[in-house]
Structure formats: structure tokens, C-alpha cells
Amino acid sequence: MKLTIKDIARLAGVSTATVSMVINKKDERISAETKKRVLEVIEEYNYVPNRVASSMVTKNTKSLGLVLPDIANPFFPGLARGVEDRANKDNWNIILCNSDNDADKENRYLEMLQEKMVDGIILTSAKQDLSKASVLKKISVPIVTLDRDINDVQHVGLVKTDNVKGAYDAVRHMLDRGYRKILHLSGPLSVYTAQSRYKGYLQAYADSGVKHPKEDVFQGSFSYESGYTMTNALLEKGIEFDGLFCGNDLMAFGALKALAEHDICVPEVGVVGFDDIYFSALITPPLTTVHQPVYEMGYMAADVLINYIKGENKMKGKKMEFVLNLNTELVVRNTTR
Ligand code: RIB
């Protein structure tokens, strides 16, 4: 028979409130002896708290939904790690959803999270311009967008990095090192971060006074395969370039593979990525890239959302317009002169 919190309280000779405080580690004011007795009863009867039942009373499940577009890309597990560590600090749980960059799948997950009564959602969306079919407008819990902003949705905030400046610094570095025909292998331009990086690429050229290539941007999918395929296509078409600024590290890895297969020397031809995922320092040659503080991004997004839900931001119930814009850092390694 499944025991309830009332049974545990009776068996331990305490109130249900005392049992709840021990379970939720809010037991500073409970004597060590009482706490020990409650924990012994929980252990003896293998009691597992019923989160759904308690949520009916407290109206919260102490859980957050986290929707990410591609958990196979090492960038996103880094975000999830930061979110999870912050949530676990307050004994909150995470429900991780992988949308596979598919807006329909993203919608299905958002509906599921609403049904599961999560207290808030952290969303890195598959694309910026959400279709009218987006379910976000029906979501009643607070939403923080992480890394990628989305348009016209009431969300309590956005945690991201300054993608424009990160791209600007990367391309200025390449121009300063004498590269002139730098092509941009971008992520999907329907995605906020890819758009921002293209802006930074253009600004760097504009401020340098160097004319940028007529055909300057080639749209990929933030994947290794797209970096590899696009670089091969450029070489086969004879499109001239002496530098590739890639939308993320995975695309840069693909570009390096294609250049190597054509016996093209790096850093004779410069290659720069974006993210600074774990492998970027380990490959040969190590990749010049733009570091994103991915763990801090995830941690801050969860911190803001949990504090908002707990009402500690004194903004409970109001539309909190805030943007946490974390800095990127150019990491120069061996794929540029
Ligand atoms: O690597 C995936 C890219 O998409 C990252 O650069 C991240 O910023 C996300 O937007």
C-alpha cells in the first residue's frame, strides 16, 4: 500500500508540516532528534513523496521545463548543466526536451510541459519567428528564453551572449591578420544567433574599410555536415576565399575537414568558429573561436526564472523586461595566423 505524508507523520509522531520540511530540506528549526525519527520512518517504509499530490496543495511542482533544439551538439548539454545545477540547488527538478530544431516538435513539448504543470519554462527555440501556430501564447507559466530570442511573446526575460560583438571581434581579428576574402558560413538565418553573427561580420568589414566579398554569406545548419558540404561546394565552384568565419564550431570542424581533403593549408586559409565547445582546443590544429560562457548562461537563466517564480524579484505577475547579455571572448589558437 502506498503511504501518504499523513501516514509518515502519524508513524513518526509529528505533524505533516514537519515531515514536509524534512523532505524539502527546510528543516533548520527542527531538532536533530525529530529529523532523525522522521528520516528513519521514511527509510523504513520506503516512502517517496508524491510531487503531483503536493503540487495540488502548493500549486507548484518545483520543476522547470527546458526545451533545447539539438542535444547532439555539445553546446547544448553545457547549457543544460548550468540550468540543472541551479535548479538542484533549491531541490527543483528539470524536464529536458529536445526539439530537433523542429518547431512542431517544440510545440508538442511545450504543451506537454504545460500539462505536467511545470512552474516555468526555459526555451532555446528552434527559430525566432514563431509561426502563428505556436502554442507559446497559450502557456500560462513564466518563460525565460535562453541563448536565442524569439519575437512577440510575453516572456519574463532573455539570457544570451553578445553575438554581434563576438562575431565582430572574430572578423576584425581575421582582417587584422591580413585575411581579405573572408566568407561567412552561417547557421540558419531564421535563428536569432545566426542573424546576429552575420550582423557582426558585416559591421567588422564596414568598420575596417575593407570591401567584403560580393557573395559573403552561405547559410548552413549549425552542423558539421553543413560546414563540410558548403566548403566543398565553394572549392568545387572555384569561389575565391582566404578565410572562413563559421557560425559555430561544428561547422568549422566540417570546413577544416574539407580544406584538409583538398590539401589546403590552415592557417594559410584562416578558419574561425563560434562557441568554444570542449573539442575545439583538442583538434589539430586547435580552433580559433569565440568562447560563450555556456554554463553561466544556463545557470543564470534558471536563477532568474526560479527567483521570479518565488516572487523574489518583486516582479511577480508583471511582465519583466530584462536581458542578461553576457560577454563572449575571442580565443586565438592555430587556425588563424
Ligand atoms: O552551436 C549551436 C549554436 O546555436 C550555438 O552557437 C548557440 O549560440 C545556438 O544558438
PDB file of all heavy atoms in Angstrom, residues 43-72:
ATOM      1  N   GLU A  43      12.708   5.971   5.644  1.00  0.00           N
ATOM      2  CA  GLU A  43      13.604   4.881   5.171  1.00  0.00           C
ATOM      3  C   GLU A  43      12.925   3.524   5.378  1.00  0.00           C
ATOM      4  O   GLU A  43      12.842   2.706   4.471  1.00  0.00           O
ATOM      5  CB  GLU A  43      14.899   4.966   5.995  1.00  0.00           C
ATOM      6  CG  GLU A  43      15.849   3.778   5.820  1.00  0.00           C
ATOM      7  CD  GLU A  43      17.021   4.131   4.918  1.00  0.00           C
ATOM      8  OE1 GLU A  43      17.215   5.330   4.664  1.00  0.00           O
ATOM      9  OE2 GLU A  43      17.696   3.215   4.442  1.00  0.00           O
ATOM     10  N   GLU A  44      12.346   3.359   6.572  1.00  0.00           N
ATOM     11  CA  GLU A  44      11.774   2.038   6.913  1.00  0.00           C
ATOM     12  C   GLU A  44      10.619   1.664   5.985  1.00  0.00           C
ATOM     13  O   GLU A  44      10.465   0.534   5.556  1.00  0.00           O
ATOM     14  CB  GLU A  44      11.271   2.079   8.366  1.00  0.00           C
ATOM     15  CG  GLU A  44      10.754   0.732   8.877  1.00  0.00           C
ATOM     16  CD  GLU A  44      10.193   0.852  10.296  1.00  0.00           C
ATOM     17  OE1 GLU A  44      10.454   1.912  10.940  1.00  0.00           O
ATOM     18  OE2 GLU A  44       9.489  -0.075  10.729  1.00  0.00           O
ATOM     19  N   TYR A  45       9.830   2.687   5.593  1.00  0.00           N
ATOM     20  CA  TYR A  45       8.642   2.401   4.766  1.00  0.00           C
ATOM     21  C   TYR A  45       8.862   2.752   3.296  1.00  0.00           C
ATOM     22  O   TYR A  45       7.932   2.810   2.499  1.00  0.00           O
ATOM     23  CB  TYR A  45       7.423   3.162   5.324  1.00  0.00           C
ATOM     24  CG  TYR A  45       6.962   2.610   6.657  1.00  0.00           C
ATOM     25  CD1 TYR A  45       7.483   3.114   7.856  1.00  0.00           C
ATOM     26  CD2 TYR A  45       6.073   1.546   6.718  1.00  0.00           C
ATOM     27  CE1 TYR A  45       7.097   2.592   9.074  1.00  0.00           C
ATOM     28  CE2 TYR A  45       5.669   1.011   7.941  1.00  0.00           C
ATOM     29  CZ  TYR A  45       6.196   1.536   9.127  1.00  0.00           C
ATOM     30  OH  TYR A  45       5.813   1.004  10.332  1.00  0.00           O
ATOM     31  N   ASN A  46      10.159   3.039   2.940  1.00  0.00           N
ATOM     32  CA  ASN A  46      10.487   3.374   1.536  1.00  0.00           C
ATOM     33  C   ASN A  46       9.520   4.413   0.955  1.00  0.00           C
ATOM     34  O   ASN A  46       9.031   4.264  -0.169  1.00  0.00           O
ATOM     35  CB  ASN A  46      10.442   2.108   0.645  1.00  0.00           C
ATOM     36  CG  ASN A  46      11.506   1.110   1.087  1.00  0.00           C
ATOM     37  OD1 ASN A  46      12.636   1.506   1.358  1.00  0.00           O
ATOM     38  ND2 ASN A  46      11.118  -0.152   1.213  1.00  0.00           N
ATOM     39  N   TYR A  47       9.256   5.448   1.764  1.00  0.00           N
ATOM     40  CA  TYR A  47       8.296   6.477   1.326  1.00  0.00           C
ATOM     41  C   TYR A  47       8.908   7.386   0.269  1.00  0.00           C
ATOM     42  O   TYR A  47      10.048   7.834   0.405  1.00  0.00           O
ATOM     43  CB  TYR A  47       7.886   7.317   2.534  1.00  0.00           C
ATOM     44  CG  TYR A  47       7.081   8.542   2.176  1.00  0.00           C
ATOM     45  CD1 TYR A  47       5.786   8.423   1.658  1.00  0.00           C
ATOM     46  CD2 TYR A  47       7.636   9.832   2.312  1.00  0.00           C
ATOM     47  CE1 TYR A  47       5.055   9.554   1.305  1.00  0.00           C
ATOM     48  CE2 TYR A  47       6.911  10.956   1.960  1.00  0.00           C
ATOM     49  CZ  TYR A  47       5.618  10.817   1.465  1.00  0.00           C
ATOM     50  OH  TYR A  47       4.896  11.948   1.110  1.00  0.00           O
ATOM     51  N   VAL A  48       8.164   7.608  -0.847  1.00  0.00           N
ATOM     52  CA  VAL A  48       8.594   8.552  -1.885  1.00  0.00           C
ATOM     53  C   VAL A  48       7.519   9.633  -1.972  1.00  0.00           C
ATOM     54  O   VAL A  48       6.349   9.305  -2.220  1.00  0.00           O
ATOM     55  CB  VAL A  48       8.746   7.844  -3.253  1.00  0.00           C
ATOM     56  CG1 VAL A  48       9.114   8.886  -4.339  1.00  0.00           C
ATOM     57  CG2 VAL A  48       9.803   6.756  -3.164  1.00  0.00           C
ATOM     58  N   PRO A  49       7.902  10.927  -1.758  1.00  0.00           N
ATOM     59  CA  PRO A  49       6.888  11.991  -1.800  1.00  0.00           C
ATOM     60  C   PRO A  49       6.141  11.994  -3.141  1.00  0.00           C
ATOM     61  O   PRO A  49       6.736  11.746  -4.184  1.00  0.00           O
ATOM     62  CB  PRO A  49       7.705  13.277  -1.653  1.00  0.00           C
ATOM     63  CG  PRO A  49       8.989  12.859  -1.061  1.00  0.00           C
ATOM     64  CD  PRO A  49       9.230  11.467  -1.541  1.00  0.00           C
ATOM     65  N   ASN A  50       4.844  12.288  -3.075  1.00  0.00           N
ATOM     66  CA  ASN A  50       4.030  12.357  -4.298  1.00  0.00           C
ATOM     67  C   ASN A  50       3.990  13.823  -4.748  1.00  0.00           C
ATOM     68  O   ASN A  50       3.238  14.639  -4.237  1.00  0.00           O
ATOM     69  CB  ASN A  50       2.613  11.850  -3.989  1.00  0.00           C
ATOM     70  CG  ASN A  50       1.726  11.939  -5.248  1.00  0.00           C
ATOM     71  OD1 ASN A  50       2.015  12.743  -6.136  1.00  0.00           O
ATOM     72  ND2 ASN A  50       0.710  11.117  -5.289  1.00  0.00           N
ATOM     73  N   ARG A  51       4.860  14.146  -5.695  1.00  0.00           N
ATOM     74  CA  ARG A  51       5.001  15.541  -6.145  1.00  0.00           C
ATOM     75  C   ARG A  51       3.690  16.087  -6.717  1.00  0.00           C
ATOM     76  O   ARG A  51       3.347  17.241  -6.540  1.00  0.00           O
ATOM     77  CB  ARG A  51       6.086  15.639  -7.223  1.00  0.00           C
ATOM     78  CG  ARG A  51       7.481  15.514  -6.663  1.00  0.00           C
ATOM     79  CD  ARG A  51       8.027  16.844  -6.249  1.00  0.00           C
ATOM     80  NE  ARG A  51       9.434  16.745  -5.854  1.00  0.00           N
ATOM     81  CZ  ARG A  51       9.962  17.474  -4.872  1.00  0.00           C
ATOM     82  NH1 ARG A  51       9.203  18.311  -4.203  1.00  0.00           N
ATOM     83  NH2 ARG A  51      11.223  17.372  -4.554  1.00  0.00           N
ATOM     84  N   VAL A  52       2.965  15.212  -7.445  1.00  0.00           N
ATOM     85  CA  VAL A  52       1.735  15.725  -8.076  1.00  0.00           C
ATOM     86  C   VAL A  52       0.719  16.088  -6.989  1.00  0.00           C
ATOM     87  O   VAL A  52       0.127  17.158  -7.005  1.00  0.00           O
ATOM     88  CB  VAL A  52       1.149  14.669  -9.048  1.00  0.00           C
ATOM     89  CG1 VAL A  52      -0.178  15.176  -9.618  1.00  0.00           C
ATOM     90  CG2 VAL A  52       2.137  14.389 -10.169  1.00  0.00           C
ATOM     91  N   ALA A  53       0.613  15.199  -5.978  1.00  0.00           N
ATOM     92  CA  ALA A  53      -0.359  15.469  -4.896  1.00  0.00           C
ATOM     93  C   ALA A  53       0.026  16.757  -4.170  1.00  0.00           C
ATOM     94  O   ALA A  53      -0.807  17.638  -3.958  1.00  0.00           O
ATOM     95  CB  ALA A  53      -0.368  14.303  -3.918  1.00  0.00           C
ATOM     96  N   SER A  54       1.328  16.897  -3.857  1.00  0.00           N
ATOM     97  CA  SER A  54       1.725  18.107  -3.099  1.00  0.00           C
ATOM     98  C   SER A  54       1.537  19.348  -3.971  1.00  0.00           C
ATOM     99  O   SER A  54       1.194  20.407  -3.512  1.00  0.00           O
ATOM    100  CB  SER A  54       3.186  17.988  -2.654  1.00  0.00           C
ATOM    101  OG  SER A  54       4.026  17.853  -3.794  1.00  0.00           O
ATOM    102  N   SER A  55       1.700  19.170  -5.286  1.00  0.00           N
ATOM    103  CA  SER A  55       1.551  20.353  -6.151  1.00  0.00           C
ATOM    104  C   SER A  55       0.105  20.848  -6.170  1.00  0.00           C
ATOM    105  O   SER A  55      -0.155  22.025  -6.393  1.00  0.00           O
ATOM    106  CB  SER A  55       2.003  20.015  -7.569  1.00  0.00           C
ATOM    107  OG  SER A  55       1.080  19.101  -8.144  1.00  0.00           O
ATOM    108  N   MET A  56      -0.841  19.913  -5.950  1.00  0.00           N
ATOM    109  CA  MET A  56      -2.255  20.343  -5.907  1.00  0.00           C
ATOM    110  C   MET A  56      -2.456  21.301  -4.736  1.00  0.00           C
ATOM    111  O   MET A  56      -3.264  22.201  -4.762  1.00  0.00           O
ATOM    112  CB  MET A  56      -3.169  19.115  -5.725  1.00  0.00           C
ATOM    113  CG  MET A  56      -3.153  18.173  -6.884  1.00  0.00           C
ATOM    114  SD  MET A  56      -3.649  19.014  -8.423  1.00  0.00           S
ATOM    115  CE  MET A  56      -3.453  17.670  -9.586  1.00  0.00           C
ATOM    116  N   VAL A  57      -1.675  21.101  -3.675  1.00  0.00           N
ATOM    117  CA  VAL A  57      -1.824  21.953  -2.475  1.00  0.00           C
ATOM    118  C   VAL A  57      -0.990  23.223  -2.637  1.00  0.00           C
ATOM    119  O   VAL A  57      -1.477  24.338  -2.531  1.00  0.00           O
ATOM    120  CB  VAL A  57      -1.346  21.182  -1.202  1.00  0.00           C
ATOM    121  CG1 VAL A  57      -1.437  22.088   0.014  1.00  0.00           C
ATOM    122  CG2 VAL A  57      -2.165  19.909  -1.036  1.00  0.00           C
ATOM    123  N   THR A  58       0.272  23.036  -2.969  1.00  0.00           N
ATOM    124  CA  THR A  58       1.178  24.220  -3.002  1.00  0.00           C
ATOM    125  C   THR A  58       1.073  24.965  -4.331  1.00  0.00           C
ATOM    126  O   THR A  58       1.607  26.034  -4.483  1.00  0.00           O
ATOM    127  CB  THR A  58       2.640  23.746  -2.869  1.00  0.00           C
ATOM    128  OG1 THR A  58       2.894  22.855  -3.978  1.00  0.00           O
ATOM    129  CG2 THR A  58       2.870  23.025  -1.560  1.00  0.00           C
ATOM    130  N   LYS A  59       0.361  24.349  -5.285  1.00  0.00           N
ATOM    131  CA  LYS A  59       0.250  24.936  -6.627  1.00  0.00           C
ATOM    132  C   LYS A  59       1.599  25.074  -7.326  1.00  0.00           C
ATOM    133  O   LYS A  59       1.762  25.872  -8.231  1.00  0.00           O
ATOM    134  CB  LYS A  59      -0.434  26.334  -6.561  1.00  0.00           C
ATOM    135  CG  LYS A  59      -1.867  26.294  -6.075  1.00  0.00           C
ATOM    136  CD  LYS A  59      -2.813  25.772  -7.154  1.00  0.00           C
ATOM    137  CE  LYS A  59      -4.269  25.626  -6.678  1.00  0.00           C
ATOM    138  NZ  LYS A  59      -4.445  24.423  -5.826  1.00  0.00           N
ATOM    139  N   ASN A  60       2.628  24.354  -6.808  1.00  0.00           N
ATOM    140  CA  ASN A  60       3.824  24.268  -7.660  1.00  0.00           C
ATOM    141  C   ASN A  60       4.479  22.906  -7.508  1.00  0.00           C
ATOM    142  O   ASN A  60       4.312  22.215  -6.509  1.00  0.00           O
ATOM    143  CB  ASN A  60       4.786  25.426  -7.383  1.00  0.00           C
ATOM    144  CG  ASN A  60       5.502  25.281  -6.044  1.00  0.00           C
ATOM    145  OD1 ASN A  60       5.849  24.188  -5.615  1.00  0.00           O
ATOM    146  ND2 ASN A  60       5.713  26.408  -5.382  1.00  0.00           N
ATOM    147  N   THR A  61       5.129  22.512  -8.604  1.00  0.00           N
ATOM    148  CA  THR A  61       5.737  21.178  -8.624  1.00  0.00           C
ATOM    149  C   THR A  61       7.250  21.265  -8.424  1.00  0.00           C
ATOM    150  O   THR A  61       7.940  20.261  -8.460  1.00  0.00           O
ATOM    151  CB  THR A  61       5.490  20.538 -10.012  1.00  0.00           C
ATOM    152  OG1 THR A  61       6.000  21.438 -11.018  1.00  0.00           O
ATOM    153  CG2 THR A  61       4.017  20.285 -10.253  1.00  0.00           C
ATOM    154  N   LYS A  62       7.744  22.510  -8.245  1.00  0.00           N
ATOM    155  CA  LYS A  62       9.216  22.714  -8.112  1.00  0.00           C
ATOM    156  C   LYS A  62       9.936  22.037  -9.267  1.00  0.00           C
ATOM    157  O   LYS A  62      10.901  21.302  -9.102  1.00  0.00           O
ATOM    158  CB  LYS A  62       9.713  22.177  -6.760  1.00  0.00           C
ATOM    159  CG  LYS A  62       9.152  22.962  -5.587  1.00  0.00           C
ATOM    160  CD  LYS A  62       9.786  22.586  -4.280  1.00  0.00           C
ATOM    161  CE  LYS A  62      11.174  23.133  -4.169  1.00  0.00           C
ATOM    162  NZ  LYS A  62      11.770  22.937  -2.832  1.00  0.00           N
ATOM    163  N   SER A  63       9.404  22.265 -10.472  1.00  0.00           N
ATOM    164  CA  SER A  63      10.066  21.698 -11.655  1.00  0.00           C
ATOM    165  C   SER A  63      10.034  22.718 -12.781  1.00  0.00           C
ATOM    166  O   SER A  63       9.127  23.545 -12.890  1.00  0.00           O
ATOM    167  CB  SER A  63       9.351  20.425 -12.096  1.00  0.00           C
ATOM    168  OG  SER A  63       8.015  20.719 -12.425  1.00  0.00           O
ATOM    169  N   LEU A  64      11.089  22.670 -13.605  1.00  0.00           N
ATOM    170  CA  LEU A  64      11.191  23.571 -14.751  1.00  0.00           C
ATOM    171  C   LEU A  64      11.266  22.739 -16.016  1.00  0.00           C
ATOM    172  O   LEU A  64      11.886  21.673 -16.019  1.00  0.00           O
ATOM    173  CB  LEU A  64      12.465  24.428 -14.651  1.00  0.00           C
ATOM    174  CG  LEU A  64      12.601  25.373 -13.456  1.00  0.00           C
ATOM    175  CD1 LEU A  64      13.957  26.080 -13.522  1.00  0.00           C
ATOM    176  CD2 LEU A  64      11.468  26.370 -13.421  1.00  0.00           C
ATOM    177  N   GLY A  65      10.654  23.229 -17.086  1.00  0.00           N
ATOM    178  CA  GLY A  65      10.842  22.608 -18.391  1.00  0.00           C
ATOM    179  C   GLY A  65      12.034  23.274 -19.061  1.00  0.00           C
ATOM    180  O   GLY A  65      12.251  24.483 -18.921  1.00  0.00           O
ATOM    181  N   LEU A  66      12.849  22.480 -19.748  1.00  0.00           N
ATOM    182  CA  LEU A  66      13.987  23.019 -20.503  1.00  0.00           C
ATOM    183  C   LEU A  66      13.887  22.468 -21.913  1.00  0.00           C
ATOM    184  O   LEU A  66      13.989  21.244 -22.118  1.00  0.00           O
ATOM    185  CB  LEU A  66      15.319  22.603 -19.857  1.00  0.00           C
ATOM    186  CG  LEU A  66      16.591  22.961 -20.638  1.00  0.00           C
ATOM    187  CD1 LEU A  66      16.728  24.465 -20.846  1.00  0.00           C
ATOM    188  CD2 LEU A  66      17.832  22.406 -19.908  1.00  0.00           C
ATOM    189  N   VAL A  67      13.622  23.355 -22.892  1.00  0.00           N
ATOM    190  CA  VAL A  67      13.464  22.914 -24.284  1.00  0.00           C
ATOM    191  C   VAL A  67      14.674  23.384 -25.089  1.00  0.00           C
ATOM    192  O   VAL A  67      14.914  24.595 -25.206  1.00  0.00           O
ATOM    193  CB  VAL A  67      12.170  23.480 -24.906  1.00  0.00           C
ATOM    194  CG1 VAL A  67      11.982  22.946 -26.337  1.00  0.00           C
ATOM    195  CG2 VAL A  67      10.949  23.118 -24.043  1.00  0.00           C
ATOM    196  N   LEU A  68      15.447  22.429 -25.608  1.00  0.00           N
ATOM    197  CA  LEU A  68      16.668  22.742 -26.372  1.00  0.00           C
ATOM    198  C   LEU A  68      16.529  22.201 -27.788  1.00  0.00           C
ATOM    199  O   LEU A  68      15.833  21.204 -27.996  1.00  0.00           O
ATOM    200  CB  LEU A  68      17.890  22.118 -25.681  1.00  0.00           C
ATOM    201  CG  LEU A  68      18.212  22.643 -24.280  1.00  0.00           C
ATOM    202  CD1 LEU A  68      19.363  21.858 -23.655  1.00  0.00           C
ATOM    203  CD2 LEU A  68      18.542  24.132 -24.315  1.00  0.00           C
ATOM    204  N   PRO A  69      17.215  22.804 -28.780  1.00  0.00           N
ATOM    205  CA  PRO A  69      16.995  22.411 -30.173  1.00  0.00           C
ATOM    206  C   PRO A  69      17.817  21.223 -30.657  1.00  0.00           C
ATOM    207  O   PRO A  69      17.465  20.587 -31.640  1.00  0.00           O
ATOM    208  CB  PRO A  69      17.366  23.680 -30.955  1.00  0.00           C
ATOM    209  CG  PRO A  69      18.346  24.388 -30.090  1.00  0.00           C
ATOM    210  CD  PRO A  69      17.994  24.056 -28.676  1.00  0.00           C
ATOM    211  N   ASP A  70      18.964  20.925 -29.994  1.00  0.00           N
ATOM    212  CA  ASP A  70      19.811  19.850 -30.552  1.00  0.00           C
ATOM    213  C   ASP A  70      20.788  19.343 -29.499  1.00  0.00           C
ATOM    214  O   ASP A  70      21.912  19.833 -29.398  1.00  0.00           O
ATOM    215  CB  ASP A  70      20.589  20.403 -31.766  1.00  0.00           C
ATOM    216  CG  ASP A  70      21.558  19.373 -32.329  1.00  0.00           C
ATOM    217  OD1 ASP A  70      21.467  18.191 -31.915  1.00  0.00           O
ATOM    218  OD2 ASP A  70      22.407  19.742 -33.164  1.00  0.00           O
ATOM    219  N   ILE A  71      20.390  18.353 -28.714  1.00  0.00           N
ATOM    220  CA  ILE A  71      21.265  17.916 -27.617  1.00  0.00           C
ATOM    221  C   ILE A  71      22.462  17.116 -28.139  1.00  0.00           C
ATOM    222  O   ILE A  71      23.359  16.773 -27.362  1.00  0.00           O
ATOM    223  CB  ILE A  71      20.509  17.089 -26.551  1.00  0.00           C
ATOM    224  CG1 ILE A  71      19.777  15.928 -27.168  1.00  0.00           C
ATOM    225  CG2 ILE A  71      19.578  17.987 -25.754  1.00  0.00           C
ATOM    226  CD1 ILE A  71      19.225  14.972 -26.124  1.00  0.00           C
ATOM    227  N   ALA A  72      22.501  16.841 -29.444  1.00  0.00           N
ATOM    228  CA  ALA A  72      23.684  16.156 -30.007  1.00  0.00           C
ATOM    229  C   ALA A  72      24.820  17.149 -30.222  1.00  0.00           C
ATOM    230  O   ALA A  72      25.982  16.754 -30.391  1.00  0.00           O
ATOM    231  CB  ALA A  72      23.323  15.480 -31.325  1.00  0.00           C
TER     232      ALA A  72
END
